[in-house]
Amino acid sequence: GAVVSQHPSRVICKSGTSVKIECRSLDFQATTMFWYRQFPKQSLMLMATSNEGSKATYEQGVEKDKFLINHASLTLSTLTVTSAHPEDSSFYICSAIWTVNNEQFFGPGTRLTVL
Amino acid sequence: AQTVTQSQPEMSVQEAETVTLSCTYDTSESDYYLFWYKQPPSRQMILVIRQEAYKQQNATENRFSVNFQKAAKSFSLKISDSQLGDAAMYFCAYRGGGSNYKLTFGKGTLLTVNP
């Protein structure tokens, strides 16, 4: 089956620093990936759509200058949280569309803690 | 905008018994897809079942089945012969038709399976 990986699985950083999270489709090419944010005991909130070779599309209320998304290849999208603050602490999940069946496969998530 | 409502924050079921999780949605589209995802404590999102709106037949995957009532905009999940491994958060999700792969999630239902 289609597998999506995320790295790192968890990261702790100091306030003011930037953190990069990678999302990879391991055995398929994905022209479209998504980034979600999930707070404890809450649902997934779509942050942005990552399109290979073009700019990401951000959902309303998501700061594009704070959450930089780069989809440089058909198997890799990155989310960079710039100048992280404690309120950015959350669980970040990516997903990728497998165009063979249009099914969305999710990565295992990255837990970000900003001190 | 599409909305997905899960009115049961928590449900519990005895092992080997049957439980039904509720989901309603609101949309003006005629072509769309509905999904149930499972998120166990590992937080990996797992697709349980999907339903295409144009299909009248309810989807079934082993012990999991749905009751799709298009006119009522209802999409419930029935889990038969519940197992301890079914304990998880369950999210109902909506996706529009065409090439829009964005998912709108409900708030989730936490299912507890009692031995």
Side-chain angles (χ1 to χ4, degrees), chain B residues 47-66:
Chain B
L47 176 65
V48 175
I49 200 164
R50 64 181 276 170
Q51 174 81 43
E52 292 86 347
Y54 66 85
K55 290 186 177 179
Q56 292 185 343
Q57 188 170 8
N58 290 323
T60 299
E61 287 289 340
N62 300 313
R63 298 182 295 107
F64 300 87
S65 61
V66 298

Side-chain angles (χ1 to χ4, degrees), chain B residues 14-31:
Chain B
Q14 289 296 127
E15 196 175 2
E17 294 191 346
T18 297
V19 64
T20 298
L21 308 184
S22 301
C23 173
T24 59
Y25 59 96
D26 189 24
T27 183
S28 58
E29 298 178 306
S30 57
D31 180 27

